[in-house]
Amino acid sequence: MMFRRLRAEPDTAGWTGEPDTAPDAPPATYRMTCDVCGAASHTGVEFGTALDWQLRHAARHPAHRAYTQTVTRPWRARLRS
């Protein structure tokens, strides 16, 4: 019988995660994907563009009513003061 050695978990005490709001941080981006057919909007920084795509897609395909929104937002880990 083989035994696997457990790896020690890193100590997370003192660390926190937060949205990256630095001036050089990349912007949040948005995308909509149709859950019925898999078609997707372009990924962009304006949520309205993804929403407009969703509404146009639904108008062309009335049975396509379920969508997934994907938001990519930069985060940063830092040590608490």
Side-chain angles (χ1 to χ4, degrees):
M1 175 183 241
M2 275 183 85
F3 291 94
R4 264 178 87 178
R5 186 175 196 177
L6 297 177
R7 284 189 307 170
E9 288 292 319
D11 182 13
T12 60
W15 285 91
T16 188
E18 61 192 16
D20 190 346
T21 58
D24 62 342
T29 59
Y30 306 91
R31 180 182 176 110
M32 285 285 193
T33 303
C34 176
D35 294 341
V36 177
C37 71
S41 70
H42 291 290
T43 300
V45 297
E46 296 293 329
F47 172 69
T49 302
L51 180 60
D52 288 346
W53 175 89
Q54 176 201 11
L55 299 176
R56 284 192 311 275
H57 187 78
R60 283 192 301 271
H61 309 280
H64 296 200
R65 296 181 181 213
Y67 296 82
T68 297
Q69 176 192 33
T70 303
V71 179
T72 302
R73 181 171 293 130
W75 275 66
R76 182 174 298 267
R78 69 172 177 85
L79 282 169
R80 291 185 203 129
S81 304

